[in-house]
Amino acid sequence: MIKVVIFDADGVLIHAERFSSSLSKDYGIPMDRILPFFEGPFQACITGHADLKEAITPYLPEWGWQGGVESLLEYWLTLEHKIDEELVSYIQDLRRNGIRCFLATNNEKYRFEYMLDKRGFSKSFDKTYASAHLGEKKPDQEFFAKIFNELKDIKKEEIFFLDDDIDNIQGAKDFGIKGELYTTLEDLKKILHEENN
C-alpha cells in the first residue's frame, strides 16, 4: 500500500526549456560562456553551500548582461514555469484520499521559494523539500534519507517516488523505496491503482 508519493518538479510538474538554453537563445550568449557557471559554481548553490546571487554576479559582465543580478533572476524565474495543472489537480485528489504528497527537487533556494510562493506549490503538497535546504541532492542517498527520517510512521515500501531522471530513480531504489520514471498522468494513475489494489 502506497501512503506517500514524492514528486520531482522539473520534467514532472514543470515543463520548460532549460534556463541556460533560453538565456543563450534570447540574448545571443554562446553556451560555452554560460556552461562554466552551471557546471561549476551553480552546483554549490543547488545544495545550499553558496548563494546564487553572489555566485552568478561575476559572470554577468562576460555574458553582457546589463540589468544586474535581480533582473536576471526575474527573467529566469518567470520564464521557466509551465505547470502541469492536471497533475497538480490529481495530487489534490490523492491527498483527499489520504495519500500524502511531497515535492522533492534539486533546486537552489531562490527558485524553490518562487515555486512555493508564486506557483502555489506550498499549498499543493503536504511537505516540500529542496536540495538547497537539505544540503544534499538527488540521487545521493542522504537526500532520500533526510526525507525518510521525518516519516516516523511510514515504511520504505509505502513510499513511491517519481522523477524524469533515471539516475534519480535508481538512487531512490538503492535507498529502498519504489520509483518510476514519470511519463504520463494516465500511466501514473495505473501504477498507483495497481500498487494499492
Side-chain angles (χ1 to χ4, degrees):
M1 174 73 79
I2 299 300
K3 295 182 179 179
V4 173
V5 182
I6 302 174
F7 293 84
D8 177 40
D10 294 296
V12 177
L13 286 148
I14 298 169
H15 301 277
E17 188 175 38
R18 282 185 178 274
F19 170 65
S20 55
S21 299
S22 297
L23 183 63
S24 177
K25 183 173 64 178
D26 292 349
Y27 290 91
I29 306 168
M31 284 298 290
D32 61 6
R33 289 191 196 173
I34 296 173
L35 289 180
F37 169 72
F38 286 97
E39 293 173 350
F42 183 62
Q43 297 305 308
C45 301
I46 289 177
T47 54
H49 295 109
D51 185 283
L52 175 63
K53 292 181 182 180
E54 296 173 4
I56 204 170
T57 296
Y59 289 81
L60 302 190
E62 185 178 350
W63 295 351
W65 185 268
Q66 301 295 323
V69 69
E70 293 295 340
S71 68
L72 180 67
L73 256 64
E74 183 178 359
Y75 163 71
W76 183 346
L77 298 177
T78 55
L79 90 91
E80 279 197 314
H81 293 274
K82 183 179 178 184
I83 309 297
D84 187 336
E85 298 293 353
E86 193 175 1
L87 177 56
V88 172
S89 178
Y90 177 63
I91 289 168
Q92 308 323 302
D93 290 341
L94 291 176
R95 295 174 70 195
R96 281 190 287 270
N97 288 319
I99 295 177
R100 292 153 73 183
C101 294
F102 297 168
L103 174 69
T105 176
N106 283 350
N107 260 294
E108 59 79 37
K109 64 180 182 180
Y110 296 111
R111 185 159 181 256
F112 184 60
E113 289 168 6
Y114 187 88
M115 287 181 186
L116 298 187
D117 298 338
K118 302 297 184 183
R119 298 303 176 185
F121 284 176
S122 60
K123 297 177 182 177
S124 300
F125 294 91
D126 295 289
K127 289 216 68 172
T128 59
Y129 299 92
S131 55
H133 295 149
L134 294 175
E136 310 285 345
K137 63 181 179 178
K138 298 175 284 186
D140 296 344
Q141 297 295 284
E142 274 302 304
F143 180 93
F144 299 102
K146 287 186 175 183
I147 295 174
F148 179 71
N149 289 340
E150 291 191 10
L151 299 172
K152 306 300 184 187
D153 56 336
I154 299 292
K155 300 173 184 175
K156 287 185 178 180
E157 58 266 27
E158 296 173 327
I159 303 171
F160 196 83
F161 173 70
L162 291 156
D163 204 291
D164 68 322
D165 186 309
I166 190 65
D167 291 336
N168 294 341
I169 296 296
Q170 190 58 53
K173 289 181 176 180
D174 290 345
F175 184 70
I177 64 179
K178 297 175 181 179
E180 291 281 347
L181 276 176
Y182 183 77
T183 52
T184 66
L185 178 55
E186 290 308 311
D187 284 347
L188 172 59
K189 289 178 178 179
K190 289 176 186 174
I191 291 168
L192 291 182
H193 179 76
E194 290 169 1
E195 290 283 349
N196 284 352
N197 285 282

